[in-house]
Amino acid sequence: MTVLSSKPTILFCDLNLNPGETKTYIYREEIPKNCVPSFKGQNVKYSYKVTIGAQKVDQPTRLLKIPFRVLSMQGLAEYSVYQEMSQVKPSNPFVQTSQKQPTVLDVALEILQTVTSKKAPHFFNITNTRGKVTRFCLFKEAYKLGDDVIGSFDFSSAEVPCVQFTASLQSIESIKDSCKAAPDQQTTVFTHGKKHEFSLHMDKTHISLQIPDVVTPSFDTDIVSLKWRLHFEFVISVHDIPGHPAPKSPTESSTWRGPANLEVENMEWDLPIKVFPTNPLHLSDNQSKAVTKVIVD
């Protein structure tokens, strides 16, 4: 189904070229600001392409379809963000600069830099009915494509022993109720990165999960929405586990042997995060070969 189609444009007619001769034509088309980004999900797919047609005399029309990627910045057009733009832009009072009217792309990239550069640690005490499992710190909640999601765990004051944990970077594709193929259609979860670590008798550790630059940032339409989260799975011991006995002197050593059988239970926890697009020039080489367009909503 076609959701966007521009009017055809004739670039040239009755063109005659001699052997080795070339001719260049420029085609421009503005993408509406409310367009959805390029997205390839399980149930919904949005793709963009430019179709070029050419015909020789007494020959059928030949079509060439060139795909390109669209990145959409939804949810950034807030007045408070515009006020903070001047705080992150460097200035030199001794250098005279000309006032240039910024383009839509310039404004969008400045807003993007403002939102994703804020670092304010958020602390979360993860607990269950028996007590505190760990303390998790996330240094910021807004990221760009290609950023690393970094967080730290503090088990030093835990009341419930955590044997191991798994942290996953996930995106959730949700179909709106009015567009579901069946009333019981479930959401689709994609895992883009995972870290598994044993944490028994560990005081502190950290995680680092990179957001791939080929994925789609968060967006929301009348048909589908895409959100991002950190998904945690903890394996918790039901009973207390004796700690490692400390040697009596620095010259002595001690050995700790874990229990042969361990009764455990699982606990899951989700932490939503915001993922925005990045500057098209910062994409990886294999993606920058394609034409990329950024729009702001």
Side-chain angles (χ1 to χ4, degrees):
M1 181 179 65
T2 302
V3 296
L4 173 65
S5 179
S6 62
K7 295 181 180 180
T9 302
I10 300 177
L11 297 181
F12 57 86
C13 186
D14 297 333
L15 177 65
N16 297 317
L17 295 176
N18 297 321
E21 183 182 1
T22 61
K23 187 72 173 179
T24 302
Y25 295 90
I26 298 177
Y27 168 77
R28 288 188 176 92
E29 187 71 37
E30 182 177 351
I31 302 177
K33 296 182 176 61
N34 58 350
C35 276
V36 297
S38 301
F39 175 64
K40 187 177 181 181
Q42 182 70 26
N43 304 290
V44 178
K45 177 182 177 181
Y46 294 106
S47 61
Y48 293 85
K49 59 181 178 292
V50 175
T51 302
I52 303 174
Q55 184 181 19
K56 301 173 93 175
V57 179
D58 298 330
Q59 295 290 332
T61 302
R62 299 294 183 89
L63 298 179
L64 174 64
K65 297 181 179 180
I66 303 177
F68 64 96
R69 184 182 179 188
V70 172
L71 300 178
S72 177
M73 298 184 184
Q74 294 187 355
L76 290 184
E78 298 181 2
Y79 180 75
S80 59
V81 175
Y82 285 96
Q83 289 181 324
E84 298 174 1
M85 286 172 51
S86 59
Q87 299 178 6
V88 299
K89 187 176 181 180
S91 60
N92 190 339
F94 302 101
V95 177
Q96 185 176 2
T97 58
S98 58
Q99 296 294 332
K100 182 181 177 181
Q101 186 67 22
T103 64
V104 176
L105 179 59
D106 294 334
V107 175
L109 294 179
E110 287 197 40
I111 298 175
L112 177 65
Q113 180 66 22
T114 301
V115 174
T116 58
S117 63
K118 293 180 180 179
K119 290 187 177 180
H122 295 75
F123 295 92
F124 305 89
N125 288 322
I126 304 174
T127 62
N128 64 0
T129 56
R130 295 166 49 208
K132 182 179 178 181
V133 177
T134 183
R135 189 189 191 199
F136 180 70
C137 174
L138 188 65
F139 298 100
K140 62 178 185 176
E141 59 178 6
Y143 301 88
K144 303 189 301 290
L145 297 181
D147 283 353
D148 292 328
V149 181
I150 300 176
S152 63
F153 288 96
D154 185 357
F155 296 95
S156 59
S157 60
E159 300 171 344
V160 180
C162 179
V163 180
Q164 64 184 27
F165 71 87
T166 301
S168 305
L169 176 65
Q170 297 180 341
S171 62
I172 306 96
E173 175 189 350
S174 303
I175 305 297
K176 300 301 177 66
D177 293 339
S178 58
C179 300
K180 288 184 177 180
D184 57 347
Q185 183 176 358
Q186 302 295 323
T187 58
T188 305
V189 178
F190 299 92
T191 299
H192 304 275
K194 181 180 294 187
K195 180 176 182 181
H196 176 82
E197 187 171 343
F198 290 93
S199 55
L200 186 61
H201 297 157
M202 181 181 294
D203 286 341
K204 295 182 180 181
T205 186
H206 74 282
I207 61 170
S208 179
L209 298 170
Q210 185 180 35
I211 303 175
D213 55 11
V214 297
V215 299
T216 303
S218 307
F219 74 95
D220 185 27
T221 68
D222 296 335
I223 299 177
V224 62
S225 66
L226 185 71
K227 298 180 180 180
W228 288 79
R229 73 183 182 188
L230 292 176
H231 177 72
F232 300 92
E233 299 177 7
F234 300 94
V235 179
I236 303 169
S237 175
V238 176
H239 305 290
D240 293 337
I241 302 176
H244 186 281
K248 297 180 180 179
S249 64
T251 59
E252 297 181 356
S253 61
S254 61
T255 302
W256 180 83
R257 179 175 297 178
N261 298 311
L262 191 63
E263 186 178 357
V264 297
E265 60 183 8
N266 296 329
M267 185 182 75
E268 297 183 358
W269 180 60
D270 294 326
L271 178 61
I273 62 173
K274 299 176 182 179
V275 176
F276 295 101
T278 186
N279 190 323
L281 299 178
H282 296 167
L283 295 175
S284 58
D285 294 338
N286 60 337
Q287 291 296 318
S288 60
K289 295 178 181 179
V291 181
T292 308
K293 181 71 177 181
V294 177
I295 60 177
V296 182
D297 184 10

